[in-house]
């Protein structure tokens, strides 16, 4: 009997999905892998984002890997640095460091006919049988091209590329953008700023939540001592998350109740009718990625804060001019303007079978069969790729389930069942049609604009519940793939 061949695997990215992939491979006896990470440390979005006030608005006990529970989170909603520390700790605990290449940006990956040739910016080349692209969704910062920006003499920062060396206390700060980030950064900067001006193009619904609430030390101690209880708590959390999936994907009284709470959060915290009107969105709560905060409205009501809903005309040398001709004197502009969320692996030069580039394959927008397999790109899988459940199912879990699915394919390669595996066009089209139909009743389709939408107008989310996702990814279905 011949020994099984050992697959060589390149994982691109050391964020949540790259770490989940590496550990899943390792737990299944696949050890010949390298993780190429563009950043100087692991953590992905939690490495790149370090703006003041960064907090995860998903409860920490759910925002962790099922295989690596952390009992002792400091808060119910953990601060960003603690999450980054957790991810770094998981990398150490599972001994991934020797597989990791930091500051290694993949610039090109080409299918060779039987595998992949992957190249990093420093000229290193990796030959692989499989590539796992775990490159993240919210990675490329979007900075609007506002007239005059180049003339501004103060500091300009994007929240996703924060620079701690730039002072914020005692300064006149403009924050542009009202997503989860803008709301957090305004709340954090307001107390010490000389003046904070929040430029809000479209207000968001902001659901009140006690983001500052600590997790009692006793809870951490008990969960640490009793892993069974910890596991049960995780399962309870997952069951709770199911309710959230239901709320966003199906109209019901539960959805209406959450939406009413969003409206109440505004009414109860903003008494001034003018301000309340300015802060009232013209779309349903939950339509965009829901913002949670217990401090934003209070920060806006402070004496040193101003809400500006007038459009921005231009940036000048010393401030921002709005379309009504008013000039706002500013020392520092903070862009909380989000990400180019549908770039995925790009701008990497990714070339699949018969020379097809990912830009051509995705000319009409990113697409992948069950978030992971792309026609024309054999032996390549994405984790948290197109249509991932970023707005509905705990992300670590989605990454784990996808990583197990990919590992199942690689195990079959190892056993010699095939040399290349590629999803069919028809299976991908069928998946897209199912997604399109299921998106109909979701709250995301109720008429708003957000980063969930691709340029082509598709909603880049998974409109199914966790069980459906798990069962679709439980076992590879050969009928949807071409094996050679
Ligand atoms: O980005 P966004 P974000 N002039 O795209 C505005 C995750 N996250 O970084 O709506 C003026 O939501 C834009 O206005 P409009 C979470 O998934 C998680 O805040 O287009 N404004 C909008 O207000 C989140 O959804 C955590 O009119 C301009 C804002 O910029 C995702 O990251 C924490 C503009 C962009 O909002 C992205 O959130 C933080 C312009 N020219 C973030 N261009 C957790 O806690 C854009 N805007 C887990």
């Amino acid at each position: 009997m011949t020994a099984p061949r050992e697959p060589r695997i390149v994982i691109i990215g050391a964020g949540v999905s790259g770490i989940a992939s590496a550990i899943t491979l390792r737990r299944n006896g696949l050890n010949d892998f390298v993780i190429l990470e563009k950043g100087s440390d692991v953590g992905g979005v939690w490495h790149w984002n370090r703006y003041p006030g960064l907090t995860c608005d998903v409860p920490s006990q759910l925002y962790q890997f099922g295989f690596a529970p952390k009992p002792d989170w400091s808060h119910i909603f953990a601060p960003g640095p603690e999450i980054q520390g957790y991810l770094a700790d998981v990398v150490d605990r599972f001994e991934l460091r020797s597989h990791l290449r930091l500051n290694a940006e993949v610039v090109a990956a080409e299918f060779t006919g039987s595998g992949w040739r992957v190249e990093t910016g420093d000229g290193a080349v990796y030959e692989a049988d499989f590539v796992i692209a775990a490159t993240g969704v919210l990675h490329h910062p979007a900075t609007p091209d506002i007239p005059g920006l180049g003339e501004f003499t103060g500091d300009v920062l994007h929240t996703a590329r924060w620079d701690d060396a730039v002072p914020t206390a005692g300064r006149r700060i403009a924050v542009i953008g009202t997503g989860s980030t803008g709301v957090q950064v305004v709340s954090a900067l307001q107390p010490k700023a000389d003046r904070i001006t929040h430029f809000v193009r479209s207000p968001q619904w902001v659901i009140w939540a006690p983001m500052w609430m600590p997790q009692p030390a006793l809870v951490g101690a008990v969960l640490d001592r009793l892993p069974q209880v910890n596991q049960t708590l995780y399962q309870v959390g997952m069951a709770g998350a199911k309710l959230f999936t239901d709320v966003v994907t199906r109209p019901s009284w539960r959805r209406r109740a959450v939406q009413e709470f969003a409206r109440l959060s505004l009414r109860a915290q903003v008494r001034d009718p003018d301000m309340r009107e300015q802060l009232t969105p013209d779309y349903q709560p939950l339509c965009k990625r829901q913002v949670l905060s217990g401090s934003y409205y209070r920060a806006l009501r402070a004496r040193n804060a101003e809400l500006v809903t007038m459009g921005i005309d231009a940036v000048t040398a010393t401030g921002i001019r709005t379309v009504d001709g008013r000039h706002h004197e500013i020392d520092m502009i903070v862009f909380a303007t989000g990400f180019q969320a549908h770039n995925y692996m790009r701008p990497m030069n990714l070339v699949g079978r018969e020379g097809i580039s990912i830009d051509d394959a995705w000319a009409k927008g990113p697409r992948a069969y069950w978030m992971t397999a792309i026609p024309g790109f054999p032996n390549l899988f994405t984790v948290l790729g197109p249509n991932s459940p970023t707005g509905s199912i705990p992300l670590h879990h989605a990454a784990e389930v996808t990583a197990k699915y990919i590992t199942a394919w690689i195990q079959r390669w190892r056993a010699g069942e095939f040399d290349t595996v590629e999803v069919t066009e028809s299976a991908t089209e069928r998946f897209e049609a199912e997604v399109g139909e299921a998106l109909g009743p979701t709250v995301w389709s109720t008429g708003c604009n957000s980063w969930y939408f691709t340029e082509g107008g598709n909603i880049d989310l998974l409109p199914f519940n966790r069980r459906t996702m798990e069962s679709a990814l439980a076992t590879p279905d050969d009928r949807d793939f071409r094996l050679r």
Side-chain angles (χ1 to χ4, degrees), residues 251-271:
S252 68
W253 68 267
R254 292 178 292 280
R255 180 189 292 177
R256 287 194 298 279
V258 177
Q259 291 179 320
E260 202 40 54
F261 184 61
R263 295 189 183 98
L264 178 66
S265 298
L266 175 63
R267 275 202 308 275
Q269 294 177 86
V270 182
R271 295 299 200 186

Side-chain angles (χ1 to χ4, degrees), residues 51 55-57 138 144 176-182 184 201-202 288-289 336-339 451:
Y51 59 82
T55 310
C56 184
D57 57 16
L138 302 171
I176 301 177
T178 330
S180 306
T181 307
Q184 290 185 348
R201 183 166 70 179
S202 331
K288 298 190 186 211
R289 162 65 158 78
T337 42
F339 301 86
W451 64 263

Side-chain angles (χ1 to χ4, degrees), residues 8 12 106 108-119 126-131 348-358 374-381 413 418-423 482-484:
R8 299 158 301 165
I12 308 175
V106 173
E110 191 173 352
F111 183 62
T112 59
S114 58
W116 286 85
R117 184 181 182 279
V118 179
E119 193 181 332
Y126 299 83
E127 300 286 343
D129 300 302
F130 286 89
V131 167
M348 176 194 310
N349 183 24
L350 183 63
V351 178
R353 183 170 49 76
E354 290 159 21
I356 184 165
S357 76
I358 194 69
I374 308 168
F377 293 79
N379 290 19
L380 177 139
F381 293 93
W413 182 96
F418 60 84
D419 289 332
T420 64
V421 53
E422 178 187 344
V423 69
R482 203 173 296 118
L483 307 181
R484 293 188 201 279

Side-chain angles (χ1 to χ4, degrees), residues 45-46 49 51 53-58 63 77-78 83 138 142-146 158-160 176-184 198-204 211 283 288-292 311-312 335-339 341 390-391 395 449-452:
V45 78
W46 297 103
N49 282 267
Y51 59 82
L54 174 62
T55 310
C56 184
D57 57 16
V58 177
Y63 203 80
F77 300 94
I83 298 172
L138 302 171
T143 303
D145 188 15
I146 302 178
H158 190 288
T159 46
I176 301 177
T178 330
S180 306
T181 307
V183 162
Q184 290 185 348
H198 196 191
F199 289 85
V200 170
R201 183 166 70 179
S202 331
Q204 292 248 29
M211 308 296 293
Y283 54 85
K288 298 190 186 211
R289 162 65 158 78
Q290 187 55 51
V291 179
L292 268 64
I312 294 173
F335 282 108
T337 42
F339 301 86
T390 39
L395 273 192
N449 218 338
S450 75
W451 64 263
Y452 288 164

Side-chain angles (χ1 to χ4, degrees), residues 309-363:
T309 52
M310 194 59 68
I312 294 173
D313 178 31
V315 175
T316 68
T318 57
I320 292 178
R321 193 173 59 237
T322 39
V323 288
D324 56 354
R326 187 173 158 209
H327 189 260
H328 304 258
E329 292 285 327
I330 300 290
D331 302 317
M332 173 179 187
I333 299 176
V334 174
F335 282 108
T337 42
F339 301 86
Q340 295 159 27
H342 313 288
N343 276 14
Y344 295 100
M345 297 80 92
R346 296 169 291 178
M348 176 194 310
N349 183 24
L350 183 63
V351 178
R353 183 170 49 76
E354 290 159 21
I356 184 165
S357 76
I358 194 69
D359 285 339
D360 287 341
W362 282 359

Side-chain angles (χ1 to χ4, degrees), residues 14-291:
V16 165
S17 45
I19 295 171
S21 303
I23 293 172
T24 309
L25 293 176
R26 169 155 263 192
R27 285 154 72 100
N28 286 280
L30 298 163
N31 288 305
D32 190 355
F33 62 88
V34 63
I35 311 168
L36 303 176
E37 167 54 53
K38 155 184 172 179
S40 60
D41 202 352
V42 301
V45 78
W46 297 103
H47 163 69
W48 292 101
N49 282 267
R50 50 186 75 174
Y51 59 82
L54 174 62
T55 310
C56 184
D57 57 16
V58 177
S60 319
Q61 292 293 345
L62 266 189
Y63 203 80
Q64 58 180 353
F65 298 114
F67 54 75
K70 174 175 160 62
D72 59 343
W73 289 103
S74 67
H75 289 74
I76 305 293
F77 300 94
E82 189 175 358
I83 298 172
Q84 207 272 338
Y86 162 74
L87 293 170
D89 180 56
V90 169
V91 165
D92 288 333
R93 261 198 287 156
F94 287 84
E95 298 177 350
L96 298 181
R97 293 270 169 199
S98 60
H99 296 262
L100 190 60
R101 308 284 175 272
L102 295 173
N103 303 305
E105 178 173 7
V106 173
V107 291
E110 191 173 352
F111 183 62
T112 59
S114 58
W116 286 85
R117 184 181 182 279
V118 179
E119 193 181 332
T120 49
D122 57 6
V125 170
Y126 299 83
E127 300 286 343
D129 300 302
F130 286 89
V131 167
I132 300 177
T135 48
V137 185
L138 302 171
H139 178 57
H140 300 280
T143 303
D145 188 15
I146 302 178
L149 186 57
E151 314 298 315
F152 186 60
T153 51
D155 292 304
V156 179
L157 288 183
H158 190 288
T159 46
R161 297 291 179 271
W162 197 260
D163 180 355
D164 286 325
V166 177
T168 55
R171 303 187 79 194
R172 296 169 301 179
I173 305 171
V175 176
I176 301 177
T178 330
S180 306
T181 307
V183 162
Q184 290 185 348
V185 82
V186 164
S187 307
L189 294 179
Q190 174 270 321
K192 290 197 174 153
D194 174 58
R195 190 148 192 82
I196 191 147
T197 311
H198 196 191
F199 289 85
V200 170
R201 183 166 70 179
S202 331
Q204 292 248 29
W205 292 106
V206 181
I207 287 188
W208 181 87
M211 308 296 293
W212 57 83
M213 197 189 264
Q215 176 184 293
L218 182 64
V219 171
V222 169
L223 296 179
D224 193 28
R225 289 255 175 109
L226 304 170
Q228 248 341 91
V229 177
N230 202 357
Q231 191 53 32
T232 307
L233 181 70
Y234 184 70
Q235 294 309 334
V236 169
M238 289 298 257
K242 199 165 81 182
L243 276 178
F244 181 71
T245 314
D246 174 67
V247 160
V248 289
T249 54
R250 294 192 314 161
S252 68
W253 68 267
R254 292 178 292 280
R255 180 189 292 177
R256 287 194 298 279
V258 177
Q259 291 179 320
E260 202 40 54
F261 184 61
R263 295 189 183 98
L264 178 66
S265 298
L266 175 63
R267 275 202 308 275
Q269 294 177 86
V270 182
R271 295 299 200 186
D272 177 71
D274 288 343
M275 189 181 216
R276 191 192 296 169
E277 196 187 326
Q278 283 181 295
L279 286 171
T280 304
D282 59 2
Y283 54 85
Q284 292 188 25
L286 298 167
C287 184
K288 298 190 186 211
R289 162 65 158 78
Q290 187 55 51
V291 179

